[in-house]
Amino acid sequence: MTDRYCVFGNPVAHSRSPAIHARFAAQCHQDLSYEAILAPLDGFAAAVGDFVAGGGKGANVTLPFKEEAFALCIRRSARAEQARAVNTLAFVGNEIIGDNTDGAGLVRDIEVNLGFALAGKRALLLGAGGAGRGVIAPLLACRPQSLFIANRSASKAEALARQFADLAAVDAGDFAKTAGRQFDAVINATSASLAGEALLLPTGIFAAGSLAYDMMYGKGETPFLALARAQGAAQLADGLGMLVEQAAEAFLIWRGVRPDGAPVLAALREQLQA
Ligand code: ATR
C-alpha cells in the first residue's frame, strides 16, 4: 500500500512541498503520496489525529503550527528541542516523533549547494523570531569564528544569545550595534520582506567575498538581497534551496534515503522564474 505523507499549514495552498516530495519519490523510487492539508487555526491536533487514523506515516508542519507540533510530540530530536519548534513529524506505532530539519536544510544549502564553508567565518543572523531560533544550533555546529544575532528589538536577540551561550560565544543586539563590524555570512531570518519592508542595516557590514542569504524567496530578488547587492555582498542566495534541503532531510527521516536536492532545486527555480 502507498504510504501517505502531507504538509499541514494555514494557509497551505501555495506550498511547494507536495511537488518537491513527488520529485524526491520518483528520484528514489519510493512508493508514497504527499498532499497539502489545510488545518483549521484551532484544529491542528485534530487534523493530525485524523491523518494518523487514516494511515498517515509522516508529515511536515509549516506556519503557524510549528510550536503546536512541538507540544504534540511524545519524543523530539535534540535539534527540535533547541529550536523549540517541529517541522517534521513521524508516526511510528502509537507515537508522534518530532524533528526540525530547517537548520540542517539551511546549512546544507549554504555549505553543499553554494559551496560556502561557514567554519572560521564571522556570521550575522538577522531576526530573533521562530525562524531565527530554529537555525542557530545548526549554524553553530559549523564552527563559525563568531555569531552575532541582530534583531529590531534587541532584547529578543539577547535572550537567544543567552539560550545558546553553552554552545558558543554569541553576541547580540539591535541592527545599529552591528555598525563598524564586518561579516562573511549575513543570513536574513526576519519576516520584514513579507511585509515589503526594508531592513535598516548599517552600511559596510558585508566583508569582501561575503555571502548574503535570505531565508525568504520569491520571483524576483528579495528586498534584503537587493540591499546586500547594493552594499557589495559577493554571493547572493534566497531560501529556495533551504526549502528543498529541509524537505530532503525530512525524506531521509521517513524513508532512510537522502534524495539529491540539486536537480529538484533547479526545476523549482525554473518554475519560479517562469
Ligand atoms: P518567524 O517565525 O518568521 O520568525 P516571528 O517569530 O513573528 O516569525 O519573527 C519575525 C521576525 O522578523 C522577528 O525577528 C521580527 O523582529 P522583532 O522581534 O523586532 O519584531 C522580524 N521583523 C518583522 N518585521 C520586521 C521589520 N519590518 N524590520 C525588522 N525586523 C522585522
Side-chain angles (χ1 to χ4, degrees):
M1 227 177 82
T2 302
D3 289 337
R4 287 182 70 202
Y5 297 86
C6 74
V7 55
F8 290 106
N10 189 329
V12 81
H14 294 100
S15 170
R16 291 170 195 273
S17 292
I20 293 170
H21 282 282
R23 286 181 187 271
F24 285 167
Q27 186 194 101
C28 300
H29 309 290
Q30 297 278 313
D31 182 18
L32 60 86
S33 71
Y34 189 109
E35 65 205 278
I37 295 182
L38 178 73
L41 290 176
D42 60 352
F44 172 69
V48 172
D50 289 348
F51 189 67
V52 174
K57 291 278 192 278
N60 285 130
V61 181
T62 189
L63 298 179
F65 299 123
K66 291 184 186 184
E67 276 87 8
E68 218 176 312
F70 178 86
L72 203 63
C73 295
I74 287 180
R75 282 194 287 136
R76 307 176 197 106
S77 67
R79 55 194 184 179
E81 294 287 353
Q82 278 161 331
R84 293 192 203 149
V86 155
N87 80 330
T88 303
L89 299 170
F91 309 124
V92 182
N94 289 326
E95 288 191 344
I96 301 180
I97 301 167
D99 205 333
N100 192 314
T101 66
D102 285 329
L106 170 70
V107 161
R108 194 172 175 88
D109 192 38
I110 290 176
E111 296 219 311
V112 179
N113 295 341
L114 300 170
F116 187 96
L118 287 161
K121 300 286 182 8
R122 296 160 293 179
L124 170 61
L125 180 67
L126 306 171
R133 188 176 57 225
V135 301
I136 293 172
L139 281 176
L140 291 175
C142 296
R143 304 262 162 244
Q145 182 193 101
S146 57
L147 175 65
F148 192 109
I149 305 170
N151 195 49
R152 183 173 54 182
S153 32
S155 58
K156 276 169 72 179
E158 287 157 2
L160 277 187
R162 282 194 297 276
Q163 188 193 323
F164 290 92
D166 55 332
L167 295 182
V170 181
D171 206 350
D174 60 14
F175 297 137
K177 201 179 167 194
T178 63
R181 302 182 194 224
Q182 287 214 311
F183 301 94
D184 306 298
V186 181
I187 299 164
N188 178 30
T190 75
S191 53
S193 52
L194 277 184
E197 292 164 359
L199 294 174
L200 299 170
L201 297 177
T203 52
I205 61 169
F206 291 90
S210 59
L211 166 73
Y213 192 102
D214 198 341
M215 284 166 52
M216 300 272 159
Y217 62 87
K219 187 168 179 171
E221 196 164 71
T222 68
F224 166 71
L225 291 179
L227 180 151
R229 180 191 295 282
Q231 287 211 26
Q235 204 177 346
L236 307 174
D238 70 10
L240 200 61
M242 175 180 175
L243 176 75
V244 170
E245 295 299 347
Q246 63 77 29
E249 189 79 12
F251 196 95
L252 173 64
I253 290 166
W254 297 327
R255 311 300 295 183
V257 47
R258 172 190 283 286
D260 182 3
V264 177
L265 175 56
L268 223 60
R269 177 73 64 199
E270 215 167 277
Q271 279 173 10
L272 190 67
Q273 308 301 3

